[in-house]
Amino acid sequence: DDLPIWWKQAVFYQVYPRSFKDTNDDGVGDLQGIIEKLDYLKHLGIDAIWINPHYDSPNTDNGYDISDYRKIMKEYGTMEDFDRLIAEMNKRDMRLMIDVVINHTSDRHNWFVQSKSGKDNPYRDYYFWRDGKQGKPPNNYPSFFGGSAWEKDDKSDQYYLHYFAKQQPDLNWDNPKVREELYEMLRFWLDKGVSGLRFDTVATYSKIAGFPDLTPQQRQNFAQAYTEGPDIHRYIKEMNQKVFSQYDVATAGEIFGVPLDKAVNYFSSRREELNIAFTFDLIRLDRGVEERWRQKAWSLTEFRQTIGRVDRSTGKYGWNAFFLDNHDNPRAVSHFGDDRPRWRVLSAKALATLIITQRATPFIYQGSELGMTNYPFKSISDFDDIEVKGFWQDYVASGKVDANDFLHNVRMTSRDNSRTPFQWNTTKNAGFTSGTPWFKINPNFTQINAADQIDDPDSVFNYYRKLIGLRHAIPALTYGEYSDLDPNNDTVYAYTRTDGDERYLVVINFKEQKVNFRLPENMTIKKVVMESHAKEAVAMNATVLELQPWQSGIYRLN
Ligand code: ISL
Ligand code: CA
């Protein structure tokens, strides 16, 4: 493939606008807040930002339920704010990726309001309406957010399909009019100068004709079953031809549920569909499949072997995103590191090293550059997210699972963990708002906040900053081949990145003990590029690295 490709070389930062920075004291982050913090992000070294949905929405699912695709969510500001965001980003040579949520709309979108108004309405088949079966839903599809995926409309005595909340009816992609409307909407945003599109739940657009019941086995992993629609690649190719091919745009696809061996079908540069894969094998390696809220044990060997599999899944022509957290998952340092005070900074730096040196485009979720942690949730009433409430209904209220067992798990796994407001400084509400924040602020903001870290040369923030600088300076860290030195080692994760005769070694001690790591024979360190424990830098020509707890380093090899 031709080099260079900007979206492979860029370091992305994910902004969850609702929780980033509030500038008008209503307690909700806004576009002006992103504009005010662009210099902060530029200082960190960020090239591109992905923002979660910014469109008009009743916020049943925090913006993933869109009521008007051409309007800005009123809490976030105006179209002028959006245009200014792009202009201010252009000034700083930064690019914007927006979220595209077109598997479903809000039930308050005009299309759905029309569609629901009667069987003869021209918008009726913009969505999926079906008759019930003996007073029951058309089939046994479950919703991601609990209960059935079908909701009955008493007026017409028919059911409509919703893979997510009942306020998120699924669009009928089999209707060419729907597709054309959506393509036109994408052109509207691309014409404004948007450089990237992140397609939400992109693998579920095509539905299985006739809606047969899922078998018990399929039901256990219904997320996968929903990605098996026959026309999905035809639709994405069409969207590519009619939209992306006319613009300079990077397209990322969230393919939750797609088995890894099928991922490349969406992202091979030879197929003209999408560019960047968001896969979930790694971030969900320690989760239940049926009980998606359940936390399971994980080991470093499983972790690195998963990374290896995901890396290989790209083949020659695909490309991945690399991320250890996002708005749907707990905080990386609480999940894969160790957020206890003694180890938080060190393990956050270890994970930073990993994120920035993988053969994939790094996506840093807001606050991870500070080592922000999970929230100390105590009871179910502390949570906000529609998903955790749906799980509670299906599992606890139904009597299937004990409340304590459930809480113990969702404290670790809930999507709310990553949605608490950004911790800017030690003033009231962590500097996020001077009003009442829409959601709880982690009480640890007095210890963990941006203002302190920007001035501290040993902070997680400045560690990220240096790493990002290296990523920009060393093409091998983007393009170099990835090779795990010892996939069965459960303590030290070491791998090489090789680009021609440039070769780098990355070493990460995943344990809180000191450990000696013996370099493979014929491997000599030529230069210490960067180490997390500066005072303990390894000796040149060492054959054994004496690693401190959670120590990480990057070395140039011969
Ligand atoms: O997070 C998940 C399970 O815990 C996934 O099933 C998630 O719902 C799936 O990856 C789709 O997520 C995306 O679409 C949802 C929205 O709620 C998520 O925030 C978004 O990332 C519906 O639009
Ligand atoms: Ca605001």
Side-chain angles (χ1 to χ4, degrees), residues 413-426:
T413 59
S414 162
R415 312 200 296 181
D416 278 334
N417 279 303
S418 57
R419 298 178 177 186
T420 62
F422 193 95
Q423 296 165 205
W424 290 106
N425 55 46
T426 56

PDB file of all heavy atoms in Angstrom, residues 413-426:
ATOM      1  N   THR A 413     -17.755  -3.024  35.442  1.00  0.00           N
ATOM      2  CA  THR A 413     -17.965  -3.112  33.994  1.00  0.00           C
ATOM      3  C   THR A 413     -18.883  -2.031  33.418  1.00  0.00           C
ATOM      4  O   THR A 413     -18.916  -1.862  32.196  1.00  0.00           O
ATOM      5  CB  THR A 413     -18.578  -4.479  33.607  1.00  0.00           C
ATOM      6  OG1 THR A 413     -19.839  -4.639  34.281  1.00  0.00           O
ATOM      7  CG2 THR A 413     -17.657  -5.626  34.005  1.00  0.00           C
ATOM      8  N   SER A 414     -19.609  -1.314  34.254  1.00  0.00           N
ATOM      9  CA  SER A 414     -20.611  -0.391  33.720  1.00  0.00           C
ATOM     10  C   SER A 414     -20.013   0.677  32.806  1.00  0.00           C
ATOM     11  O   SER A 414     -18.913   1.175  33.035  1.00  0.00           O
ATOM     12  CB  SER A 414     -21.337   0.304  34.872  1.00  0.00           C
ATOM     13  OG  SER A 414     -21.991   1.457  34.382  1.00  0.00           O
ATOM     14  N   ARG A 415     -20.787   1.038  31.798  1.00  0.00           N
ATOM     15  CA  ARG A 415     -20.382   2.093  30.868  1.00  0.00           C
ATOM     16  C   ARG A 415     -20.284   3.437  31.593  1.00  0.00           C
ATOM     17  O   ARG A 415     -19.576   4.341  31.143  1.00  0.00           O
ATOM     18  CB  ARG A 415     -21.406   2.212  29.729  1.00  0.00           C
ATOM     19  CG  ARG A 415     -21.785   0.876  29.097  1.00  0.00           C
ATOM     20  CD  ARG A 415     -22.388   1.018  27.726  1.00  0.00           C
ATOM     21  NE  ARG A 415     -23.654   1.731  27.686  1.00  0.00           N
ATOM     22  CZ  ARG A 415     -24.347   1.940  26.571  1.00  0.00           C
ATOM     23  NH1 ARG A 415     -23.881   1.485  25.414  1.00  0.00           N
ATOM     24  NH2 ARG A 415     -25.485   2.593  26.594  1.00  0.00           N
ATOM     25  N   ASP A 416     -20.987   3.560  32.717  1.00  0.00           N
ATOM     26  CA  ASP A 416     -20.942   4.820  33.465  1.00  0.00           C
ATOM     27  C   ASP A 416     -19.545   5.152  33.996  1.00  0.00           C
ATOM     28  O   ASP A 416     -19.254   6.319  34.267  1.00  0.00           O
ATOM     29  CB  ASP A 416     -21.923   4.773  34.644  1.00  0.00           C
ATOM     30  CG  ASP A 416     -23.345   5.100  34.216  1.00  0.00           C
ATOM     31  OD1 ASP A 416     -23.510   5.815  33.216  1.00  0.00           O
ATOM     32  OD2 ASP A 416     -24.280   4.631  34.892  1.00  0.00           O
ATOM     33  N   ASN A 417     -18.718   4.139  34.174  1.00  0.00           N
ATOM     34  CA  ASN A 417     -17.370   4.381  34.722  1.00  0.00           C
ATOM     35  C   ASN A 417     -16.587   5.403  33.919  1.00  0.00           C
ATOM     36  O   ASN A 417     -15.831   6.198  34.478  1.00  0.00           O
ATOM     37  CB  ASN A 417     -16.581   3.077  34.780  1.00  0.00           C
ATOM     38  CG  ASN A 417     -16.935   2.258  35.996  1.00  0.00           C
ATOM     39  OD1 ASN A 417     -16.824   2.739  37.126  1.00  0.00           O
ATOM     40  ND2 ASN A 417     -17.379   1.027  35.781  1.00  0.00           N
ATOM     41  N   SER A 418     -16.752   5.363  32.611  1.00  0.00           N
ATOM     42  CA  SER A 418     -15.944   6.252  31.771  1.00  0.00           C
ATOM     43  C   SER A 418     -16.683   7.545  31.442  1.00  0.00           C
ATOM     44  O   SER A 418     -16.151   8.405  30.751  1.00  0.00           O
ATOM     45  CB  SER A 418     -15.554   5.530  30.487  1.00  0.00           C
ATOM     46  OG  SER A 418     -16.708   5.091  29.825  1.00  0.00           O
ATOM     47  N   ARG A 419     -17.911   7.679  31.940  1.00  0.00           N
ATOM     48  CA  ARG A 419     -18.726   8.833  31.546  1.00  0.00           C
ATOM     49  C   ARG A 419     -18.765   9.939  32.591  1.00  0.00           C
ATOM     50  O   ARG A 419     -19.432  10.952  32.396  1.00  0.00           O
ATOM     51  CB  ARG A 419     -20.147   8.360  31.211  1.00  0.00           C
ATOM     52  CG  ARG A 419     -20.137   7.398  30.024  1.00  0.00           C
ATOM     53  CD  ARG A 419     -21.521   6.880  29.694  1.00  0.00           C
ATOM     54  NE  ARG A 419     -21.468   6.013  28.511  1.00  0.00           N
ATOM     55  CZ  ARG A 419     -22.520   5.505  27.910  1.00  0.00           C
ATOM     56  NH1 ARG A 419     -23.722   5.766  28.362  1.00  0.00           N
ATOM     57  NH2 ARG A 419     -22.370   4.732  26.844  1.00  0.00           N
ATOM     58  N   THR A 420     -18.081   9.769  33.704  1.00  0.00           N
ATOM     59  CA  THR A 420     -18.057  10.847  34.702  1.00  0.00           C
ATOM     60  C   THR A 420     -17.251  12.009  34.122  1.00  0.00           C
ATOM     61  O   THR A 420     -16.383  11.818  33.265  1.00  0.00           O
ATOM     62  CB  THR A 420     -17.417  10.377  36.021  1.00  0.00           C
ATOM     63  OG1 THR A 420     -16.050  10.007  35.780  1.00  0.00           O
ATOM     64  CG2 THR A 420     -18.168   9.186  36.614  1.00  0.00           C
ATOM     65  N   PRO A 421     -17.564  13.240  34.571  1.00  0.00           N
ATOM     66  CA  PRO A 421     -16.926  14.409  33.955  1.00  0.00           C
ATOM     67  C   PRO A 421     -15.395  14.431  34.052  1.00  0.00           C
ATOM     68  O   PRO A 421     -14.800  13.904  34.996  1.00  0.00           O
ATOM     69  CB  PRO A 421     -17.547  15.576  34.729  1.00  0.00           C
ATOM     70  CG  PRO A 421     -18.896  15.084  35.107  1.00  0.00           C
ATOM     71  CD  PRO A 421     -18.677  13.633  35.459  1.00  0.00           C
ATOM     72  N   PHE A 422     -14.819  15.064  33.069  1.00  0.00           N
ATOM     73  CA  PHE A 422     -13.364  15.221  32.978  1.00  0.00           C
ATOM     74  C   PHE A 422     -12.845  16.020  34.170  1.00  0.00           C
ATOM     75  O   PHE A 422     -13.469  16.983  34.617  1.00  0.00           O
ATOM     76  CB  PHE A 422     -13.013  15.960  31.686  1.00  0.00           C
ATOM     77  CG  PHE A 422     -11.565  15.897  31.333  1.00  0.00           C
ATOM     78  CD1 PHE A 422     -11.086  14.931  30.460  1.00  0.00           C
ATOM     79  CD2 PHE A 422     -10.664  16.804  31.872  1.00  0.00           C
ATOM     80  CE1 PHE A 422      -9.727  14.881  30.135  1.00  0.00           C
ATOM     81  CE2 PHE A 422      -9.313  16.748  31.558  1.00  0.00           C
ATOM     82  CZ  PHE A 422      -8.845  15.783  30.688  1.00  0.00           C
ATOM     83  N   GLN A 423     -11.686  15.624  34.666  1.00  0.00           N
ATOM     84  CA  GLN A 423     -11.117  16.257  35.856  1.00  0.00           C
ATOM     85  C   GLN A 423     -10.023  17.253  35.456  1.00  0.00           C
ATOM     86  O   GLN A 423      -8.876  16.894  35.221  1.00  0.00           O
ATOM     87  CB  GLN A 423     -10.607  15.145  36.793  1.00  0.00           C
ATOM     88  CG  GLN A 423     -11.781  14.285  37.282  1.00  0.00           C
ATOM     89  CD  GLN A 423     -11.428  12.955  37.905  1.00  0.00           C
ATOM     90  OE1 GLN A 423     -12.261  12.038  37.894  1.00  0.00           O
ATOM     91  NE2 GLN A 423     -10.232  12.823  38.459  1.00  0.00           N
ATOM     92  N   TRP A 424     -10.442  18.539  35.357  1.00  0.00           N
ATOM     93  CA  TRP A 424      -9.520  19.562  34.858  1.00  0.00           C
ATOM     94  C   TRP A 424      -8.584  20.094  35.927  1.00  0.00           C
ATOM     95  O   TRP A 424      -7.414  20.342  35.663  1.00  0.00           O
ATOM     96  CB  TRP A 424     -10.307  20.719  34.228  1.00  0.00           C
ATOM     97  CG  TRP A 424     -10.966  20.315  32.940  1.00  0.00           C
ATOM     98  CD1 TRP A 424     -12.291  20.076  32.728  1.00  0.00           C
ATOM     99  CD2 TRP A 424     -10.291  20.054  31.700  1.00  0.00           C
ATOM    100  NE1 TRP A 424     -12.497  19.682  31.419  1.00  0.00           N
ATOM    101  CE2 TRP A 424     -11.288  19.662  30.764  1.00  0.00           C
ATOM    102  CE3 TRP A 424      -8.956  20.111  31.274  1.00  0.00           C
ATOM    103  CZ2 TRP A 424     -10.980  19.341  29.445  1.00  0.00           C
ATOM    104  CZ3 TRP A 424      -8.657  19.786  29.956  1.00  0.00           C
ATOM    105  CH2 TRP A 424      -9.654  19.402  29.059  1.00  0.00           C
ATOM    106  N   ASN A 425      -9.124  20.315  37.138  1.00  0.00           N
ATOM    107  CA  ASN A 425      -8.280  20.923  38.184  1.00  0.00           C
ATOM    108  C   ASN A 425      -8.901  20.637  39.555  1.00  0.00           C
ATOM    109  O   ASN A 425      -9.857  19.867  39.652  1.00  0.00           O
ATOM    110  CB  ASN A 425      -8.115  22.426  37.932  1.00  0.00           C
ATOM    111  CG  ASN A 425      -9.444  23.137  37.800  1.00  0.00           C
ATOM    112  OD1 ASN A 425     -10.349  22.916  38.608  1.00  0.00           O
ATOM    113  ND2 ASN A 425      -9.585  23.959  36.769  1.00  0.00           N
ATOM    114  N   THR A 426      -8.370  21.280  40.596  1.00  0.00           N
ATOM    115  CA  THR A 426      -8.828  20.952  41.955  1.00  0.00           C
ATOM    116  C   THR A 426      -9.942  21.883  42.444  1.00  0.00           C
ATOM    117  O   THR A 426     -10.366  21.782  43.592  1.00  0.00           O
ATOM    118  CB  THR A 426      -7.659  21.056  42.967  1.00  0.00           C
ATOM    119  OG1 THR A 426      -7.099  22.373  42.872  1.00  0.00           O
ATOM    120  CG2 THR A 426      -6.592  20.034  42.675  1.00  0.00           C
TER     121      THR A 426
END
